[in-house]
Amino acid sequence: MSEETKHLQTEGISRRSVFGAAALASLVASQAADASPAEEPKAFAPLPSFKFDIENQTGWVGEAGSAKEATAAEFPISQSIAGVSMRLKPGAIRELHWHSLAAEWAYMLEGRCRATVISPNGQSEITDFGPGDTWYFPRGHGHLLQGLGPGECHFLLGFDNGHFSEYGTFSITDWIATTPPAVLSRVLGVPASALAQFPKKEVYIGPGKVPTEPIENFRDGQLQPTQSSHKYRLDMQPPKVFPGGREFIVSSKEFPIQTTLTAVRMDLQPGALRELHWHPHADEWQYYVRGRARVGIFGSHGRVRTEEFGPGHVGFVNQGYGHYIEQIGDEPTEVLILFNSGEFQEISLANWLGGNPVSILQDNFGIPKSLADQLPKRETGILARKA
Ligand code: MN
Ligand code: MN
């Protein structure tokens, strides 16, 4: 059994056939893209769809909250990143749990929630999140989320493994319900008769009381609070400003605990264009919060594909694939983006053109110097609406 298969079975993902036909097709396509021209002629599978409507799913719905997933089972092209749109009612808890397969990132879209998280060094953290705040829980760190009200909170979760499933994680109630009572009684230090009061199965998302302010203390008064917070206030950061928009970016440089993902909030003004570029070492996963956009990807061998995105849609661009994002519509567009690396890397077409002698561009394109001289020399990032 491969390591990957073991992991899949560990987190209950074997319940679904994750390597569906579409996933295989995308693997074949990505391998084909790496083939050298010497190996031609060969049929190259067209680029698969890179769009998924996560908010249009039913997902998991309970009295205290809901969750909609985009994992490799629903969105086969995204083998490296999974996402969940989760909502919690005031007081509701996403119970104590951990993920064996993936680190968890989140961006708070609306409302407020509280998290508790324990690190392997025994340090613990209790902290609150509001709109524009992000968190990062390294793989295996035990955590819980609670809606603080007023009103429902809504957050986008991202995981650094497309085969992860939020519905198949390691929950405290599931563990307790399935451990022999004799063992449990000794470990918890309560009589076996008291165990009947615990849930008989996994709670997942359940009702709870809205916590009173201020934050309650740890049960263990001697416990050291965390010295490495899991919280980063993305929207409080001064953004990078471009002619057509702005970007807030958090990588491991800004948030050292976030070692496996980089997150970007990108705002595009009407008519803006995120120029041609690629990411040498990371896949790009997108969630459209508001507004619309048209994304074009280039997958070698003349293969291109364009999709239109709007609120609640998820997009995915394979590592190394060229792409652009064209803002459409009259309302500004806001996109949350994840890369599956803690280090951010990008190469822009404009910088590449600027990094070559003009005679090379003349020869490569077969164009006169007068035209080559007009080409950009340095990236703009996000171009403003055409005057
Ligand atoms: Mn979690
Ligand atoms: Mn990009």
Side-chain angles (χ1 to χ4, degrees):
M1 189 183 287
S2 73
E3 204 54 35
E4 177 77 352
T5 313
K6 271 191 233 161
H7 279 309
L8 294 180
Q9 294 192 342
T10 314
E11 206 152 343
I13 290 162
S14 57
R15 291 172 207 160
R16 284 176 176 157
S17 171
V18 289
F19 281 101
L24 279 175
S26 82
L27 284 176
V28 168
S30 66
Q31 281 161 8
D34 291 335
S36 72
E39 289 164 11
E40 289 188 277
K42 202 185 236 177
F44 294 100
L47 298 178
S49 171
F50 61 100
K51 174 180 169 181
F52 180 68
D53 190 352
I54 188 173
E55 293 295 351
N56 200 31
Q57 311 299 306
T58 304
W60 186 97
V61 181
E63 56 167 324
S66 65
K68 300 170 181 180
E69 286 196 341
T71 71
E74 295 90 13
F75 187 39
I77 194 174
S78 187
Q79 298 284 309
S80 58
I81 299 175
V84 176
S85 172
M86 186 173 284
R87 292 170 172 84
L88 295 177
K89 301 238 167 82
I93 56 164
R94 167 68 183 97
E95 73 162 314
L96 291 165
H97 68 283
W98 75 93
H99 308 289
S100 76
L101 279 190
E104 172 176 322
W105 166 92
Y107 179 92
M108 185 60 69
L109 291 160
E110 281 178 58
R112 293 166 65 234
C113 87
R114 176 164 299 170
T116 75
V117 52
I118 188 152
S119 305
N121 63 8
Q123 294 174 359
S124 208
E125 180 173 23
I126 306 176
T127 187
D128 292 353
F129 296 86
D133 294 341
T134 66
W135 67 70
Y136 181 86
F137 304 149
R139 186 172 63 190
H141 288 208
H143 54 278
L144 163 142
L145 306 167
Q146 180 166 43
L148 292 177
E152 197 173 65
C153 67
H154 178 204
F155 44 92
L156 179 71
L157 295 165
F159 299 89
D160 61 358
N161 186 332
H163 296 275
F164 154 92
S165 172
E166 171 67 13
Y167 314 148
T169 62
F170 292 70
S171 296
I172 196 167
T173 51
D174 193 16
W175 201 6
I176 284 182
T178 52
T179 300
V183 171
L184 207 53
S185 172
R186 285 178 66 190
V187 171
L188 299 183
V190 298
S193 57
L195 297 176
Q197 296 174 48
F198 287 81
K200 301 289 182 292
K201 64 179 181 62
E202 184 181 18
V203 168
Y204 184 48
I205 295 174
K209 287 186 209 57
V210 176
T212 52
E213 301 288 347
I215 292 177
E216 275 175 67
N217 290 328
F218 299 126
R219 292 182 63 241
D220 177 1
Q222 304 301 309
L223 190 69
Q224 191 181 10
T226 191
Q227 300 302 305
S228 178
S229 178
H230 297 79
K231 174 176 175 175
Y232 184 85
R233 308 199 69 185
L234 185 58
D235 283 13
M236 298 296 282
Q237 168 191 97
K240 273 171 81 174
V241 177
F242 303 100
R246 57 184 189 165
E247 283 182 356
F248 303 78
I249 177 165
V250 56
S251 68
S252 58
K253 205 165 76 180
E254 295 81 16
F255 188 28
I257 198 173
Q258 187 177 282
T259 55
T260 64
L261 293 167
T262 292
V264 174
R265 170 186 160 175
M266 183 171 66
D267 295 347
L268 298 170
Q269 292 162 12
L273 176 63
R274 177 73 172 84
E275 63 183 334
L276 295 174
H277 67 282
W278 72 96
H279 306 283
H281 79 332
D283 295 326
E284 172 170 340
W285 187 94
Q286 310 169 334
Y287 174 91
Y288 289 80
V289 179
R290 54 181 62 87
R292 293 162 55 220
R294 185 181 298 121
V295 180
I297 61 170
F298 166 60
S300 79
H301 298 284
R303 296 173 308 155
V304 293
R305 188 161 179 142
T306 307
E307 308 257 22
E308 278 194 21
F309 294 85
H313 294 162
V314 169
F316 185 85
V317 182
N318 286 100
Q319 173 194 341
Y321 278 38
H323 55 286
Y324 62 85
I325 304 176
E326 199 181 359
Q327 199 284 341
I328 51 177
D330 298 330
E331 302 299 318
T333 298
E334 181 184 334
V335 196
L336 293 171
I337 299 173
L338 280 179
F339 299 95
N340 64 333
S341 170
E343 181 203 15
F344 180 72
Q345 285 190 3
E346 171 186 335
I347 296 179
S348 94
L349 176 71
N351 281 346
W352 198 18
L353 295 177
N356 274 284
V358 69
S359 63
I360 291 290
L361 301 188
Q362 287 173 249
D363 291 346
N364 199 148
F365 294 134
I367 55 171
K369 182 170 184 299
S370 57
L371 181 54
D373 280 339
Q374 293 173 43
L375 299 175
K377 299 184 176 77
R378 192 173 298 168
E379 66 179 329
T380 306
I382 305 171
L383 302 168
R385 184 200 290 276
K386 222 172 142 191

